[in-house]
């Protein structure tokens, strides 16, 4: 039976799977860093080459000038069989702060049960799990379903060109559903399907004070310090209850139903676990919601970065000319990122003093999404995960953002099935990102099961 | 007459004076930067070599291991003549941000009437003005007064070893007063004596949240963001009236007398000039005091630097593990820097949430100082400045800090006469620092006058 042959193939090749994933992790495909432009192209080529070697047809790089989208297809199952569009991204977050890494972020290293490296979990590991599942199924004969691949290189910078690509290639990308392995699991033994993703609105706020950095002794006391102004503006963005104060911020938030709250409360995820995974003394947030609700079902406003004045070693008595903050909001249905930008501007107009000048740049925008939990594709995934792990998967809302999910719905008219083998302590986006290899291998099995499950 | 000969010598050598000052400015003696350690030593050797060449005796480098103090003496005037201890520092502030400099900070460049370069004004120019005055006087015969030099290399990092040096070499440094050319002038045609200097208490505040940078989507909403906490703490350090809120901050501030406020109000320095020199839309500060009072006679709290999370180009959705601020207070009589540190800690203990951990490092401490305006040395300086500029000097309080002034008083028991040829728009500590050369040359003349004035 093909399913068993495919599973056997995957089990036999586990060590090669890890080595080959390591080759991809070695490429520093940091999409936000202009210096990594070539590496991003190299990673695209690596993925395309892999697809061709396992027999995927019509493999093409769809360039924008840089950061190409890798497309490929296997359509031998014929028009009667279902078609799955497998999404992925081969780009990664910056690895900074480098000094916090135990081993080099781009020299993948196995320690214990984990593979360490930037992108090992998010999401080169998940991309390769999908490709290995297809490779294993192909080794056992023709695929029972049609498969298309859409692997992009700009997810970590907000996928600025993906929506256009989908619009331009609607027919080529036509499918019954999208498999999106860019979300995670609650624990190694809890297969998980994410049915809701938060959206994102990312901003850079710049405060300009004096024309140049000034001597804090000579001018201090008569000149408004932009770093102080920035701090005061940021401080004003939350109230004492942990709520965001941008005017109208919660107006469009779809209320959580009692049933949904009950279900979220049943997730086997304690506050203590979040405390442990985050490595903090205690949790924080909106008073009227539980941590698990705040993480998945409530919008947030976070400071992602601060920079002003002298930040080196020692003391420099400067009154800075300039202060900058990166600030982003996680959005939930039915918030609109353009409306958030207007609220942010309204807040600044009302609160920024006229002793300084400010600029607000909107950098990344994506709405939140909510999937239909009764679709046949989600049902098939549940069966496949149960076959691989021996337990039924749990449904969760997730705090992260996959802009692609709402674009796929809007442009291609299909739902996404959001899964993945990332774990809460994988530290993706931080230093020492890792992939839990036993979970990774079981996930490959689950995806093989899915390919045969869809056939029925 | 020796005075006229000395002045003539100085006038003849003006172009060489500027060239030689340029040689010193070329040396990047940034005392706070460990990478500049050798350059700091080179600058010390350069100054010592210059002193020896003009005939100064017993020139010695008093090392701590690095950043030596340059000593030298000319005692031929005999025990009946007054002795002046000339203070200076050959170290400079860091030149960052480098991209804001029109010409390289360590490639001194004359444009118009100004010499541009890091340290040209603060205070390599002022050090060399003092040395040139002595050189010119020596060219005209034996000096009418005894002169000692104490030129250090750690002023910009708070002179951590100068007080010890003075304690250890009290006899060697014995003098009637200290000439401190490390303050400035109100305008090119307004010779100025600074009779009050603010003190400094410099801190680094570090806020630690999660163990590592986290994904803001996965943890945002349940973890307190250290950059937000830092912003809130900083925002709380001033109230709506522009006053510092550290508990007890103003308790030891010596009130300004009515007479002093009247006198400060007479200074030919308008709010518009401060606005122009600072390059800001409008001024800011404590409501109940004028800008000139706030700059010289009131204490402040300034943010000198901010750093947290992702600060590069683009977007990185990180919830930072750590946030840091450099924060310093300018102090006035009779505030005590150790008490300020206690107040800062009390503020943090009362206001920092237990969702984070904080550390406060005190880095530089110096008290404020107030000079006796009736001393014979200040009288002599007034006469000398009037001879050089043709107008009587003005007295001012200054916002900057020269820790040395209070140490000289405490340890050597002598007053300082605080002068200098720096101008308010010299942009020392910022990019494009410059020295106004006509003012510099007149200042050399004034110091030559001083040497002969003291004799009487």
């Amino acid at each position: 039976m093909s399913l068993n042959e495919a599973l056997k193939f995957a089990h036999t090749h586990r060590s090669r799977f890890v080595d080959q994933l390591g080759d991809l992790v070695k490429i520093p495909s940091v999409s936000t860093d202009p210096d990594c432009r070539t590496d991003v192209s190299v990673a695209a080529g690596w993925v395309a080459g892999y697809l061709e070697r396992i027999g995927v047809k019509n493999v093409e790089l769809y360039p924008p000038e840089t950061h190409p989208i890798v497309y490929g297809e296997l359509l031998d199952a014929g028009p009667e069989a279902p078609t799955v569009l497998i999404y992925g991204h081969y780009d990664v977050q910056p690895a900074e702060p480098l000094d916090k890494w135990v081993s080099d972020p781009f020299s993948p290293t196995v320690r214990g049960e984990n593979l360490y490296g930037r992108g090992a979990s998010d999401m080169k590991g998940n991309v390769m799990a999908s490709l290995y599942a297809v490779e294993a199924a192909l080794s056992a004969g023709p695929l029972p379903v049609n498969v298309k691949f859409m692997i992009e290189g700009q997810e970590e910078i907000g996928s600025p060109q993906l929506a256009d690509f989908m619009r331009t290639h609607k027919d080529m990308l036509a499918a019954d559903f999208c498999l999106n392995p860019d979300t995670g699991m609650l624990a190694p033994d809890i297969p998980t399907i994410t049915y809701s993703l938060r959206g994102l609105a990312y901003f850079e706020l710049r405060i300009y004070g004096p024309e140049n950095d000034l001597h804090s002794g000579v001018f201090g006391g008569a000149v408004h310090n932009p770093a102080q102004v920035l701090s005061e503006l940021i401080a004003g963005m939350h109230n004492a209850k942990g709520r965001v104060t941008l005017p109208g911020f919660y107006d469009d938030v779809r209320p959580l139903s009692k049933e949904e709250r009950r279900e979220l409360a049943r997730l086997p995820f304690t506050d203590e676990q979040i405390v442990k995974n985050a490595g903090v003394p205690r949790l924080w947030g909106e008073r009227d919601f539980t941590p698990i609700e705040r993480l998945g079902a409530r919008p947030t406003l976070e400071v992602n970065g601060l920079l002003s004045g002298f930040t080196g070693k020692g003391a420099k008595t400067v009154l800075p000319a300039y202060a900058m903050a990166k600030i982003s909001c996680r959005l939930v249905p039915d918030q609109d990122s353009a409306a958030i930008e207007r609220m942010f501007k309204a807040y600044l107009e009302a609160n920024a003093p006229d002793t300084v000048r400010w600029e607000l740049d909107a950098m990344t925008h994506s709405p939140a999404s909510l999937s239909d939990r009764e679709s046949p594709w989600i049902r098939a995934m549940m069966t496949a995960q149960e076959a691989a792990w021996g337990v039924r998967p749990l449904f969760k809302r997730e705090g992260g953002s996959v802009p692609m999910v709402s674009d796929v719905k809007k442009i291609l008219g299909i739902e996404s099935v959001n899964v993945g083998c990332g774990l809460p302590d994988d530290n993706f986006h931080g230093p020492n990102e890792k992939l839990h290899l036993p979970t990774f291998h079981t996930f490959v099995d689950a995806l093989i099961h899915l390919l045969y499950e869809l056939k029925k």
Side-chain angles (χ1 to χ4, degrees), chain A:
Chain A
M1 190 195 149
S2 306
L3 168 63
N4 287 339
E5 272 177 57
L7 290 169
K8 199 175 153 192
F9 178 91
H11 297 176
T12 315
H13 288 83
R14 282 184 171 177
S15 121
R16 190 257 294 169
F17 284 177
V18 175
D19 289 348
Q20 213 159 13
L21 167 59
D23 291 342
L24 179 56
V25 172
K26 267 179 207 152
I27 308 168
S29 47
V30 180
S31 49
T32 200
D33 185 347
D35 293 342
C36 293
R37 207 170 259 245
T38 306
D39 300 302
V40 171
S41 296
V42 168
W46 191 98
V47 171
Y50 176 84
L51 288 175
E52 283 185 335
R53 276 198 306 283
I54 65 170
V56 174
K57 301 293 185 320
N58 296 324
V59 174
E60 291 274 3
L61 298 184
Y62 283 83
E65 317 81 71
T66 57
H67 303 75
I69 294 160
V70 183
Y71 176 80
E73 58 189 27
L74 284 163
L75 305 179
D76 295 336
E80 297 307 305
T83 299
V84 49
L85 175 66
I86 301 184
Y87 168 80
H89 65 85
Y90 59 81
D91 64 322
V92 298
Q93 283 275 320
E96 285 78 12
L98 296 177
D99 60 335
K100 292 283 182 69
W101 285 78
V102 174
S103 51
D104 182 84
F106 300 109
S107 305
T109 306
V110 174
R111 286 196 297 281
E113 291 191 323
N114 296 302
L115 175 72
Y116 288 85
R118 170 54 86 233
S121 172
D122 178 18
M123 73 170 282
K124 287 175 173 174
N126 280 304
V127 166
M128 291 315 293
S130 317
L131 304 197
Y132 293 148
V134 171
E135 180 188 350
L138 282 173
S139 79
L143 285 197
V145 290
N146 300 304
V147 174
K148 296 176 178 180
F149 296 94
M150 177 175 72
I151 321 276
E152 67 157 325
Q154 299 188 303
E155 197 274 342
E156 301 294 1
I157 52 172
S159 308
Q161 304 177 87
L162 188 66
D164 265 350
F165 172 76
M166 288 195 276
R167 261 179 234 112
T168 317
H169 300 91
K170 255 173 106 157
D171 292 342
M172 179 175 89
L173 298 169
D176 291 290
F177 76 102
C178 175
L179 173 66
N180 167 33
D182 197 18
T183 62
M185 294 174 55
L186 291 163
D189 53 353
I190 306 177
T192 310
I193 296 174
T194 300
Y195 72 102
S196 168
L197 290 159
R198 290 196 286 192
L200 181 69
Y202 200 106
F203 302 94
E204 185 172 293
L205 171 59
R206 295 185 293 270
I207 305 290
Y208 296 92
E211 263 164 49
N212 290 306
D213 286 355
L214 299 175
H215 186 293
S216 71
V218 175
F219 289 98
V223 167
H224 213 170
N225 183 315
Q228 179 191 335
V229 172
L230 180 66
S231 299
E232 291 170 357
L233 287 169
I234 291 172
M237 291 177 197
H238 287 90
N239 67 17
K241 289 181 162 182
R243 283 171 69 89
V244 176
T245 60
L246 304 190
F249 189 73
Y250 296 97
D251 288 358
D252 295 329
V253 173
R254 202 186 299 174
L256 270 173
S257 68
K258 271 190 191 163
E259 194 213 319
E260 231 180 333
R261 296 189 81 165
R262 252 199 313 271
E263 212 174 281
L264 286 171
R266 272 202 302 268
L267 284 181
F269 218 34
T270 63
D271 292 5
E272 289 66 38
Q273 275 172 293
I274 308 177
V275 161
K276 189 169 162 276
N277 287 337
V280 290
R282 68 175 185 82
L283 298 183
W284 174 91
E286 265 189 294
R287 281 206 201 142
D288 301 335
F289 296 88
T290 67
I292 205 81
E293 288 170 350
R294 301 200 302 262
L295 286 176
R298 295 293 296 172
T300 65
L301 181 148
E302 292 288 343
V303 181
N304 305 109
L306 286 178
L307 185 65
S308 181
F310 180 69
T311 59
K313 271 186 197 142
K316 184 172 191 303
T317 51
V318 69
L319 196 167
Y322 164 82
M324 182 279 289
K326 309 255 186 190
I327 295 174
S328 62
C329 296
R330 295 285 167 177
L331 308 179
V332 299
D334 299 310
Q335 286 180 302
D336 168 43
S337 56
I340 300 294
E341 185 182 348
R342 285 194 298 274
M343 293 169 198
F344 203 147
K345 284 201 166 139
Y347 172 84
L348 293 171
E349 271 151 21
N351 293 286
D354 64 356
T355 47
V356 299
R357 193 167 58 76
W358 58 267
E359 287 174 2
L360 183 72
D361 274 2
M363 306 177 73
T364 305
H365 274 198
S366 72
S369 74
L370 206 55
S371 301
D372 174 9
R373 293 158 54 174
E374 303 300 323
S375 81
W377 323 116
I378 285 193
R379 295 273 144 204
M381 179 56 85
M382 288 177 70
T383 310
Q385 286 176 318
E386 190 170 355
W389 271 280
V391 290
R392 279 179 79 79
L394 286 175
F395 282 92
K396 75 176 283 250
R397 281 171 169 262
E398 193 164 290
S401 306
V402 186
M404 188 278 312
V405 170
S406 50
D407 285 341
V408 152
K409 173 87 182 170
K410 206 166 54 190
I411 300 166
L412 304 180
I414 56 177
E415 292 274 354
S416 292
V417 176
N418 306 309
V419 289
C421 58
L423 294 173
D425 63 351
D426 276 358
N427 215 25
F428 48 107
H429 289 210
N432 303 309
E433 175 177 353
K434 58 94 177 157
L435 176 72
H436 186 237
L437 293 173
T439 304
F440 168 72
H441 293 306
T442 310
F443 185 54
V444 173
D445 289 356
L447 293 177
I448 293 171
H449 280 287
L450 178 73
L451 293 173
Y452 292 89
E453 194 58 37
L454 290 170
K455 193 184 60 169
K456 290 170 193 169

